[in-house]
Amino acid sequence: MTDRWTDRLSDYLDDALSTSDRRELESHIRDCGDCAAALEDLRAIVASARALAARDVERGMETDLWPEIEARLRDIPVRAVPEPVREPWPVHRLSFSMAQLAAACVAVLLLSATAVWFAHDWGRRETLARSAAGGGLITAVPATSAPAEAAQNEIASLKRVLDERRDRLDPSTLRAIEESLAAVEAAVEQARLALEADPDDPYLVAHLEEMASRQLTLLRRAVDLAGGAE
Amino acid sequence: MTPPTTLVAPVRSGAEAEDVSRAQRGDLRAFERLYRAHVARVGGLVRRMMGMEHSLDVTQDIFVRVWQKIGTFRGESAFGTWLHRVAVNVILQKRASLRTERERFLSDEIALETAPARGRTDARDFDVERAIARLPQGARTVFILHDVEGFTHEEIGVFLGVTAGTSKAQLHRARMILRDHLTR
Ligand SMILES: [Zn+2]
């Protein structure tokens, strides 16, 4: 279902709504499950898009283009003739408070892992499947095992603590954390759904376990940032 | 919103600034270091914008263009930011020479409508890269430039010759199509 707010959700995510529209949308979302669900999905999509660039760096470039480029450059002199240059990016994109930086690091760390799910290549999938099958590390669906239950309990209690301490966090830090959490929770949920249909896929089992453990790590760090577990 | 992945840029800016100024004086070794520091992200940008077919050629062209223009870089932005602008312009020119960009931006069809539907449990449904590749070109371009690369709608409007409003609308459209594809 869509309504008049559906097409404002991106503006909301990008902080491009007026204060009054933002408040109205926030109150609408409390009553409209469709918009709330769409917002969560869009948040996860934006978060995974951001993680792609970090993933490019992790993966590197498979083909070394330098020899060919160098051969072409040898025939081209560098000209220091000033040409009109477009305005640079706004400076605020490059300056961070320490808290933002910490949150961003947590986000990038976790989201690049999420991106492995969203954008994993099939070679990796096979590698994981082989190692999971050969190593015999994973013998049960984590959601039903005792350690997984303990993890679920810890996740729930960390969420409660984080919720109580929201006010201690800088709003932009909180938002970064919430975005990361949404992304990793979406990844956990998607892994769970995929596993329901294909319970014997060792990659999916390993992946769900990995995502659940990332979720836990993120929550622990978030609680740390908000003043520790006490 | 929190900043995109450009957060690594300021950290290496010291040594990088030195390499930039050496490269501006014609030092190929310094330029090679700049190439190695940036090629992975530039390569990713090209691949997403153009597909695999032309990606290696265009990535090469970008670094050749950067070499030609590096004398004009005046340090007003991070070098990586400047380089990505040059890259976007090379990519768009290349694409325009393959097909008129504006025409396609305004009249592209929804590729997903004709794509085979998959069950929600197919793991590939969650593959954002594949989903991006299947977006209509206009929506894909804006999504990559805004959500992956971190450009503003105003900047994207200048790149593409459209208004910031059009860019915004395409971005939302892209995200909704991706959602449809990834959560179906
Ligand atoms: Zn609604």
Side-chain angles (χ1 to χ4, degrees):
Chain A
M1 272 295 289
T2 58
D3 53 48
R4 73 189 182 92
W5 289 106
T6 314
D7 283 339
R8 312 297 306 275
L9 293 174
S10 276
D11 283 343
Y12 176 73
L13 272 180
D14 297 338
D15 223 355
L17 288 182
S18 68
T19 310
S20 61
D21 281 355
R22 194 175 65 238
R23 290 205 183 115
E24 224 181 307
L25 190 147
E26 279 166 354
S27 100
H28 170 77
I29 276 172
R30 280 191 282 275
D31 303 322
C32 177
D34 288 337
C35 281
L39 183 65
E40 281 311 290
D41 289 344
L42 294 184
R43 223 191 271 283
I45 284 165
V46 172
S48 59
R50 285 187 190 169
L52 292 180
R55 187 169 149 74
D56 289 337
V57 175
E58 282 165 24
R59 285 172 52 180
M61 193 78 176
E62 279 162 31
T63 313
D64 186 7
L65 303 174
W66 179 251
E68 283 180 67
I69 291 173
E70 187 179 18
R72 288 171 68 182
L73 297 191
R74 291 203 180 279
D75 302 328
I76 303 169
V78 174
R79 281 171 302 155
V81 184
E83 289 175 38
V85 184
R86 289 207 183 98
E87 286 301 299
W89 277 18
V91 174
H92 70 261
R93 283 187 177 274
L94 293 171
S95 58
F96 309 96
S97 69
M98 279 313 288
Q100 280 175 310
L101 196 61
C105 288
V106 169
V108 167
L109 179 77
L110 284 138
L111 291 179
S112 52
T114 309
V116 171
W117 171 249
F118 284 120
H120 69 266
D121 56 60
W122 293 92
R124 178 178 154 80
R125 179 188 163 121
E126 278 159 22
T127 310
L128 275 170
R130 268 199 306 279
S131 66
L137 289 169
I138 296 132
T139 51
V141 177
T144 59
S145 67
E149 211 175 289
Q152 287 310 312
N153 290 339
E154 191 184 351
I155 285 170
S157 88
L158 285 169
K159 275 184 172 171
R160 273 197 303 277
V161 174
L162 188 60
D163 208 44
E164 282 161 21
R165 302 202 187 150
R166 300 167 60 85
D167 297 342
R168 298 193 198 176
L169 289 164
D170 171 87
S172 57
T173 306
L174 184 63
R175 198 154 35 169
I177 289 171
E178 282 176 344
E179 277 169 20
S180 309
L181 272 175
V184 81
E185 275 171 19
V188 168
E189 180 57 20
Q190 284 161 355
R192 225 187 278 286
L193 283 172
L195 197 55
E196 258 172 38
D198 198 357
D200 296 319
D201 186 332
Y203 169 80
L204 293 175
V205 174
H207 181 74
L208 173 57
E209 195 160 74
E210 190 189 347
M211 287 302 104
S213 121
R214 302 261 165 195
Q215 185 183 16
L216 196 55
T217 310
L218 173 55
L219 275 163
R220 283 180 187 145
R221 289 191 194 189
V223 167
D224 264 3
L225 276 176
E230 286 175 9
Chain B
M1 289 303 272
T2 48
T5 45
T6 43
L7 63 95
V8 288
V11 181
R12 24 156 218 267
S13 60
E16 183 162 279
E18 181 56 36
D19 279 340
V20 169
S21 104
R22 279 168 192 268
Q24 285 176 324
R25 298 193 298 270
D27 183 337
L28 269 174
R29 292 283 78 77
F31 190 70
E32 182 183 355
R33 285 191 290 275
L34 295 172
Y35 159 84
R36 298 209 180 278
H38 293 280
V39 67
R41 280 209 51 197
V42 170
L45 170 64
V46 176
R47 209 174 52 244
R48 286 180 198 107
M49 293 276 280
M50 308 226 24
M52 290 300 282
E53 193 190 348
H54 301 284
S55 71
L56 295 184
D57 287 350
V58 175
T59 305
Q60 269 196 34
D61 291 348
I62 287 168
F63 282 93
V64 171
R65 180 81 63 90
V66 167
W67 174 256
Q68 289 172 314
K69 293 189 60 141
I70 197 163
T72 68
F73 174 68
R74 286 169 296 192
E76 289 146 330
S77 59
F79 176 70
T81 303
W82 178 84
L83 187 152
H84 275 247
R85 291 183 164 286
V86 174
V88 170
N89 281 314
V90 172
I91 290 165
L92 293 175
Q93 279 165 22
K94 197 76 180 180
R95 275 200 343 203
S97 75
L98 296 171
R99 186 167 183 165
T100 306
E101 173 64 22
R102 194 180 159 76
E103 228 175 63
R104 201 156 171 188
F105 185 79
L106 295 174
S107 67
D108 54 10
E109 286 157 17
I110 298 178
L112 288 179
E113 302 279 294
T114 55
R118 289 200 176 106
R120 64 185 304 169
T121 50
D122 184 333
R124 271 170 287 204
D125 265 8
F126 310 124
D127 187 333
V128 153
E129 293 276 21
R130 278 163 203 253
I132 291 172
R134 289 167 64 190
L135 284 172
Q137 182 162 272
R140 185 174 83 236
T141 301
V142 173
F143 182 79
I144 294 166
L145 293 180
H146 189 279
D147 281 1
V148 181
E149 295 293 317
F151 289 106
T152 65
H153 290 297
E154 287 69 24
E155 293 170 311
I156 295 167
V158 173
F159 279 136
L160 300 179
V162 299
T163 65
T166 302
S167 173
K168 270 190 184 184
Q170 287 281 19
L171 178 66
H172 182 65
R173 175 172 170 237
R175 289 173 177 172
M176 292 301 275
I177 296 171
L178 287 174
R179 176 191 186 223
D180 186 49
H181 184 48
L182 293 166
T183 62
R184 189 186 312 184

